[in-house]
Amino acid sequence: MKILKNIKLLFLSSLLLIGCNEDEFLEQINPNATTTDTFWGSEKQFNSALTTVYGALQFQNISGGELQYEMILGDIAGTESWYRPAAFRNLTYNDGSYYVTDKWNELYIGIFRANQVIQYLETADESIFNNTNKNEIEGQARFLRAFFYFQLAHTYGGAVIHEKVAETKEDLLKPFSSIEEVTNTIILPDLKFAQANLPISWSNSTDKGRVTWGAATSLLGKVYLFDEKWNEAATQFNEVITKGNYKLTADIMDNFTDLNEFNEESIFEVAYSAELNPGINGEAVDDNTYESGAEASTMARAFGQLNYGGYNTLLPSYFLHELYTSDEVDPTNGINNGNTQSRRMTASICPKNGESLYYNIELDSPDAKGWAFGQSAYIKKFTNWYHLDAEDSQSRSGINFRHIRLADVYLMYAEAVLNATGDYQTAITYIDKVRKRAGVKTIQQYLDENGGTFPQLHISKQVHGNRPYVTASTETIMTHLRRVERPLELAFEGHRWKDLVRWGIAQEVFDELRADEIWRENNKELLEIDEEGIAPLYIKERIRPDFILSSTNYTPSQHNYLPIPTQEVQTNSEL
């Protein structure tokens, strides 16, 4: 994977030597040196270069622990003022903040690598591709480039477009393009090419983890969804559902551990490994392959509980915790076996009264510590709570990160159909597929049992008393999809802030949750926080003020997207 780095160094060195012909020996060519003229001469070399593009996915700000800074922006997470994510929770970050600069840099490393592969494929001899179709290599590179640009566009509100490898300083000086321009110039053409040239599945086991037609089609549908082209989005998602050979895993937890990776629900997944290169800190960048995952993820330690080797810098909000307690178990569903909490609650968060072991400790034992000082629950997703006593002290976790899975496609399809046709019954069908796998009552069950009405589960029962029941309609099912189903199913998977922004409801959500915090603060005696707290959250000692600043600081024009990093503005005169 260091070949490309050597090429880059050779290229920079050659620029410095241009015009310097004082000594004749400088003009002599080393026949053993790897250069851009000699490297791109075989199928193996193109695949080696493609591997480095996959390697960029493993960067912590793209698929690892540093995603916590985006995950905390919405309504599902909180933190403490002394933790680094607090600047993002309170919306006080700036154009020099770590995540703002690091994510930008890492995404452009991926784009640079993808551009190399795509550019040199244009002049490559077809005869060198014996085993892998040339278009398949290009399709993978173009999917990955589209993914990087999608992340840029919807994180920063646009991007600086680079379609070729820069050869001069002037080539780097490009203006900032809007989301629409980036989408039309790069993302859509790349995804359509990938969709037309990638296989539905790869036949060799060594190709596990390569992107497929399903990944390209799913991301294409998501691009249309974000662009509010509802019919086009629905068409793409329906293709994935009917032709993609995907299905929901029987156990939702299989999507968040290292036990059943690249499973039948996974559509686009990034590999990590804690075993390879032992002793190296998880933050180190190895840039290895799409399958073996030589680089470890730091996410587990960021999310894991402080008493068990983690940092718990990201914490479930009271809103999310209560939402999971409202995930009513369906006793007639065979997936349940005496549990009173939903399967996806057990897979996603750990409350004080959780129903599983937690880092091999019984939660009702004296050894279970941490549920105090306002912390009502901790994150389980993508942590090693299910098999280790504690998180790795070197921040190394081998749990893969899933960017796209079938449950997400079901929910995006439901949203597209609702917006395209108003067909809320079809939307209910696909929402209920997700709910049934979670082992909870479906919307249809609620409708059948309650005279055609169902509860608005996003409204805090603790704060407001009994929840209102509403009839099913395009509007009420959309509210359920936005405020209940997507946060329950997809919490801490990197989608929530982008969802709130594109729906335009961030301020509404912040205001509601801040009002709930104020009620809890004013009713601490009722909640018995000076003792052990009361159901369903068992908040103890204090009310954590997650939304005290974000509710007042939020300004859409300033916070919907991160600012262009200061170093980019200082070095690019076109910005």
Side-chain angles (χ1 to χ4, degrees):
M1 307 320 142
K2 297 178 181 177
I3 293 175
L4 290 184
K5 295 176 185 177
N6 294 335
I7 292 172
K8 189 175 181 182
L9 288 172
L10 286 167
F11 171 69
L12 292 174
S13 299
S14 67
L15 286 180
L16 294 174
L17 293 172
I18 289 174
C20 182
N21 56 5
E22 296 176 2
D23 300 306
E24 186 175 340
F25 77 89
L26 289 177
E27 297 180 357
Q28 296 180 2
I29 299 174
N30 178 358
N32 298 315
T34 301
T35 69
T36 53
D37 292 330
T38 62
F39 177 76
W40 305 95
S42 71
E43 177 185 313
K44 181 179 179 181
Q45 288 171 323
F46 273 99
N47 272 310
S48 294
L50 180 64
T51 296
T52 72
V53 190
Y54 278 101
L57 291 171
Q58 296 176 325
F59 288 136
Q60 301 302 328
N61 290 276
I62 297 177
S63 308
E66 301 305 280
L67 284 176
Q68 63 183 300
Y69 299 112
E70 178 176 333
M71 293 178 185
I72 202 169
L73 288 170
D75 55 355
I76 62 173
T79 192
E80 295 292 1
S81 59
W82 52 87
Y83 288 142
R84 292 182 77 192
F88 290 82
R89 170 67 286 156
N90 297 331
L91 302 178
T92 57
Y93 59 84
N94 57 44
D95 57 4
S97 296
Y98 23 90
Y99 183 69
V100 174
T101 59
D102 293 349
K103 182 155 191 160
W104 177 281
N105 293 338
E106 290 175 3
L107 288 168
Y108 273 108
I109 290 173
I111 289 167
F112 166 76
R113 295 175 180 179
N115 280 342
Q116 281 192 313
V117 175
I118 295 165
Q119 184 171 320
Y120 285 101
L121 277 171
E122 292 176 358
T123 56
D125 188 340
E126 293 278 355
S127 64
I128 69 173
F129 298 96
N130 298 318
N131 300 315
T132 305
N133 185 286
K134 176 183 176 182
N135 286 345
E136 287 183 346
I137 295 177
E138 183 174 353
Q140 292 171 79
R142 292 183 68 170
F143 169 88
L144 294 170
R145 182 171 72 172
F147 172 77
F148 295 137
Y149 269 114
F150 180 86
Q151 290 297 317
L152 275 169
H154 292 283
T155 301
Y156 297 91
V160 178
I161 296 176
H162 294 288
E163 296 183 77
K164 300 288 185 181
V165 176
E167 298 182 0
T168 67
K169 180 180 178 181
E170 287 69 29
D171 291 340
L172 296 172
L173 306 181
K174 299 287 184 67
F176 189 77
S177 297
S178 66
I179 293 175
E180 181 180 10
E181 291 169 329
V182 176
T183 298
N184 292 330
T185 303
I186 297 286
I187 299 174
L188 286 177
D190 277 1
L191 289 178
K192 289 177 180 178
F193 183 92
Q195 184 185 44
N197 290 281
L198 292 178
I200 290 179
S201 62
W202 295 90
S203 56
N204 294 327
S205 60
T206 55
D207 291 326
K208 186 190 301 181
R210 288 185 186 267
V211 295
T212 61
W213 169 90
T217 306
S218 298
L219 186 54
L220 182 59
K222 188 171 183 176
V223 171
Y224 286 134
L225 189 76
F226 276 51
D227 202 25
E228 298 185 353
K229 294 181 178 178
W230 313 120
N231 286 308
E232 291 91 334
T235 297
Q236 299 302 321
F237 295 138
N238 188 55
E239 286 278 297
V240 175
I241 292 167
T242 57
K243 298 181 181 179
N245 297 324
Y246 302 106
K247 62 180 181 179
L248 299 178
T249 58
D251 186 349
I252 187 174
M253 206 174 92
D254 283 348
N255 296 296
F256 318 124
T257 74
D258 66 346
L259 300 179
N260 188 16
E261 295 177 325
F262 298 112
N263 58 48
E264 61 270 31
E265 186 170 342
S266 176
I267 297 176
F268 178 35
E269 181 170 337
V270 177
Y272 287 105
S273 173
E275 281 74 40
L276 296 174
N277 292 341
I280 296 177
N281 190 279
E283 296 179 359
V285 176
D286 299 321
D287 293 344
N288 213 276
T289 70
Y290 40 82
E291 183 189 7
S292 66
E295 185 177 353
S297 171
T298 62
M299 187 172 286
R301 198 175 189 200
F303 290 2
Q305 216 242 65
L306 193 63
N307 290 290
Y308 307 105
Y311 293 130
N312 58 238
T313 48
L314 197 70
L315 298 158
S317 66
Y318 298 147
F319 161 73
L320 183 67
H321 182 179
E322 187 173 4
L323 205 58
Y324 277 118
T325 67
S326 302
D327 226 6
E328 186 179 356
V329 171
D330 174 15
T332 67
N333 187 329
I335 197 173
N336 297 311
N337 184 26
N339 51 292
T340 61
Q341 296 173 351
S342 75
R343 293 296 187 186
R344 65 179 166 188
M345 178 179 181
T346 298
S348 302
I349 68 169
C350 186
K352 178 181 179 180
N353 62 333
E355 293 186 332
S356 69
L357 294 176
Y358 187 59
Y359 293 103
N360 292 322
I361 289 177
E362 296 280 355
L363 289 173
D364 59 358
S365 76
D367 294 327
K369 301 174 182 178
W371 286 266
F373 201 61
Q375 320 306 4
S376 69
Y378 295 92
I379 300 171
K380 281 183 170 179
K381 272 189 182 181
F382 304 116
T383 71
N384 292 283
W385 66 271
Y386 57 95
H387 69 126
L388 297 181
D389 293 337
E391 293 298 340
D392 181 75
S393 62
Q394 289 286 82
S395 299
R396 295 179 60 81
S397 174
I399 300 173
N400 292 359
F401 188 78
R402 287 76 166 175
H403 280 284
I404 306 176
R405 57 187 179 92
L406 185 61
D408 186 16
V409 170
Y410 279 169
L411 298 181
M412 289 192 290
Y413 179 60
E415 180 184 345
V417 169
L418 278 172
N419 281 298
T421 66
D423 180 4
Y424 62 84
Q425 194 56 60
T426 294
I428 289 173
T429 298
Y430 282 90
I431 292 171
D432 280 352
K433 287 178 183 290
V434 175
R435 293 185 65 81
K436 186 174 182 179
R437 190 269 299 274
V440 301
K441 281 193 173 182
T442 63
I443 295 177
Q444 192 59 54
Q445 282 177 286
Y446 280 123
L447 295 174
D448 293 341
E449 295 172 2
N450 296 280
T453 65
F454 70 101
Q456 293 192 294
L457 298 173
H458 65 285
I459 296 175
S460 172
K461 188 175 182 180
Q462 182 178 70
V463 173
H464 300 282
N466 292 327
R467 294 187 175 98
Y469 276 64
V470 294
T471 57
S473 67
T474 301
E475 181 181 358
T476 58
I477 296 301
M478 181 65 79
T479 298
H480 176 90
L481 182 67
R482 291 176 171 180
R483 302 294 303 276
V484 178
E485 214 59 48
R486 284 191 67 81
L488 277 174
E489 181 68 22
L490 303 169
F492 312 116
E493 296 183 48
H495 307 294
R496 190 59 180 163
W497 181 244
K498 291 182 177 68
D499 280 348
L500 294 179
V501 167
R502 67 188 178 88
W503 294 328
I505 64 172
Q507 186 69 68
E508 172 189 343
V509 167
F510 287 161
D511 288 347
E512 287 182 13
L513 300 189
R514 179 54 189 154
D516 289 353
E517 283 178 353
I518 293 172
W519 183 92
R520 289 188 172 104
E521 186 67 34
N522 293 336
N523 289 273
K524 290 188 290 186
E525 185 175 345
L526 177 65
L527 298 177
E528 300 178 13
I529 70 168
D530 291 333
E531 298 177 29
E532 294 300 318
I534 63 171
L537 305 185
Y538 299 99
I539 304 170
K540 184 178 178 181
E541 296 179 356
R542 71 191 261 265
I543 304 299
R544 196 178 65 229
D546 289 332
F547 301 96
I548 188 172
L549 292 178
S550 55
S551 61
T552 56
N553 289 345
Y554 174 69
T555 302
S557 60
Q558 182 179 351
H559 298 115
N560 280 353
Y561 304 104
L562 299 182
I564 301 172
T566 182
Q567 89 275 0
E568 185 71 18
V569 175
Q570 292 171 351
T571 58
N572 185 349
S573 59
E574 292 296 311
L575 296 177

